[in-house]
Amino acid sequence: MTDAYVALEGERIVEARARAPGTANGELVFTTAYTGYEESLTDPSYEEQILTFSYPLIGNYGVREERFESDRVQPNAVVARELTDDVAEWLEGEGVPAVDHLDTRDIVTEIRDEGAMKCGIAAGPDATEEDALEQLKQCKHMSEHRDIGAQVSVAEEVVYNEGGDGARVALVDCGAKGSIIDSLVERDAEVHVLPYDATEDDIEAVDPDLLFISNGPGDPENFERAGEVVDTYVGEVPIAGICLGQQVVANALGGETEKMEFGHRGVNQPVRDLRTDQVVMTTQNHGYTVAEPGDNLDVTQINVNDDTPEGLENEELGIITRQYHPEANPGPHDSLGFFDDVLELAEE
């Protein structure tokens, strides 16, 4: 039964089955992950996007809240070849439109050929093609979401593991995954999670041993305050960053970032360390990348598939960043040592 419509950029219409009703628009992207659908669906980096799963069956081990990366579903809508009832009911309860019974191989191929694209979705018994096209017309480019940080960040400071014996970390929350906080707390760090637009005074009040810029959605150039904080504290406090955090740090230190054609999203991205020549498998979710690191950062790791920077460092200034997610859940866990490295910087 056709009761859902997906309108792709160029006004191509794909028919589907509604699993959670509603209308939505956003940048259409795909992930190659075959596990971790709960983590992907609650990852704040998917804000203002429509997430397509390339793996055909999503939901075969249920839905458990303890695996969530945030307190809500983050994509504007969800597309899959087949969604189980557990996932469909979860998404409907969250008010997030979801569709299945369409050829996701075709959609993923189109994204790979044409790049991430605008998309509109209409799902439910009264949905029409015109509804989906209207949503498509309303869709914005990711860089136009100027204040996207406010949609995914804490509104005020939250402290985890207060009184911990480890480093005191000021984590600027640009859309931080819960696993990043967990990874720091597991190493006995006292983590002060601050809003995405935290000021120098906010950081100073924490008196941190480490400044950490989190992952998050959208264009790194729209996170101006985070970049200003990095610029203020570079050389004064060790600085770390993950995903969007790497891009923000690079921009703040004279580098440049750019939009990727269709980004890196999945759990099987190979990364090579240029110093050891070792390759590790990583989890990634980003649509922007560092195009030019500038004179103050050295590229230490690259993506095997396209040579984009995956690690930046400046030993003298105490800076270490990663484009991928070392804290990845459910895995792989090849790169968890990153958190040991950054906390060792803080102790030094």
Side-chain angles (χ1 to χ4, degrees), residues 7-8 11-13 120-121 128-138:
L8 306 178
E11 300 191 356
R12 175 190 168 201
I13 299 290
I121 284 182
T128 65
E129 294 184 19
E130 289 71 24
D131 295 333
L133 287 169
E134 181 59 33
Q135 287 295 315
L136 176 63
K137 291 176 184 177
Q138 296 176 22

Side-chain angles (χ1 to χ4, degrees), residues 163-236:
D165 293 332
R168 186 183 298 111
V169 179
L171 174 64
V172 178
D173 177 17
C174 301
K177 292 171 62 179
S179 294
I180 293 177
I181 299 169
D182 293 342
S183 296
L184 293 167
V185 169
E186 285 168 4
R187 290 159 175 79
D188 211 21
E190 178 179 295
V191 183
H192 295 249
V193 181
L194 302 172
Y196 78 106
D197 56 354
T199 65
E200 287 81 356
D201 289 342
D202 296 328
I203 304 297
E204 189 67 28
V206 175
D207 188 23
D209 303 309
L210 174 71
L211 175 62
F212 203 121
I213 312 299
S214 83
N215 66 293
D219 190 337
E221 292 189 3
N222 289 336
F223 290 81
E224 297 174 358
R225 284 297 309 140
E228 291 169 6
V229 166
V230 170
D231 184 58
T232 297
Y233 283 93
V234 66
E236 302 295 327

Side-chain angles (χ1 to χ4, degrees), residues 47-68:
E47 184 76 4
E48 295 294 349
Q49 293 179 320
I50 293 176
L51 178 58
T52 301
F53 288 95
S54 65
Y55 189 73
L57 176 61
I58 298 301
N60 60 340
Y61 53 84
V63 177
R64 295 176 61 184
E65 188 173 346
E66 56 264 35
R67 290 195 281 252
F68 294 180

Side-chain angles (χ1 to χ4, degrees), residues 6-21:
V6 180
L8 306 178
E9 197 164 334
E11 300 191 356
R12 175 190 168 201
I13 299 290
V14 178
E15 296 181 349
R17 177 180 70 162
R19 298 308 310 277

Side-chain angles (χ1 to χ4, degrees), residues 152-317:
V152 293
S153 179
V154 295
E156 57 186 21
E157 180 182 0
V158 181
V159 182
Y160 294 84
N161 195 33
E162 189 168 6
D165 293 332
R168 186 183 298 111
V169 179
L171 174 64
V172 178
D173 177 17
C174 301
K177 292 171 62 179
S179 294
I180 293 177
I181 299 169
D182 293 342
S183 296
L184 293 167
V185 169
E186 285 168 4
R187 290 159 175 79
D188 211 21
E190 178 179 295
V191 183
H192 295 249
V193 181
L194 302 172
Y196 78 106
D197 56 354
T199 65
E200 287 81 356
D201 289 342
D202 296 328
I203 304 297
E204 189 67 28
V206 175
D207 188 23
D209 303 309
L210 174 71
L211 175 62
F212 203 121
I213 312 299
S214 83
N215 66 293
D219 190 337
E221 292 189 3
N222 289 336
F223 290 81
E224 297 174 358
R225 284 297 309 140
E228 291 169 6
V229 166
V230 170
D231 184 58
T232 297
Y233 283 93
V234 66
E236 302 295 327
V237 176
I239 297 174
I242 286 178
C243 201
L244 178 88
Q246 167 163 294
Q247 300 157 20
V248 168
V249 170
N251 281 339
L253 272 70
E256 297 178 4
T257 54
E258 65 181 5
K259 186 83 163 62
M260 304 177 76
E261 189 171 358
F262 53 83
H264 293 160
R265 297 178 180 90
V267 297
N268 59 348
Q269 289 284 335
V271 169
R272 181 166 69 93
D273 190 296
L274 298 178
R275 298 160 300 185
T276 65
D277 216 31
Q278 180 184 12
V279 174
V280 296
M281 301 307 292
T282 68
T283 290
Q284 303 197 17
N285 177 13
H286 60 102
Y288 291 78
T289 189
V290 175
E292 172 54 55
D295 297 330
N296 297 304
L297 295 168
D298 297 320
V299 177
T300 58
Q301 298 182 344
I302 60 170
N303 190 289
V304 173
N305 293 330
D306 59 15
D307 291 337
T308 51
E310 297 284 359
L312 302 175
E313 294 184 21
N314 184 314
E315 187 174 346
E316 183 178 344
L317 295 176

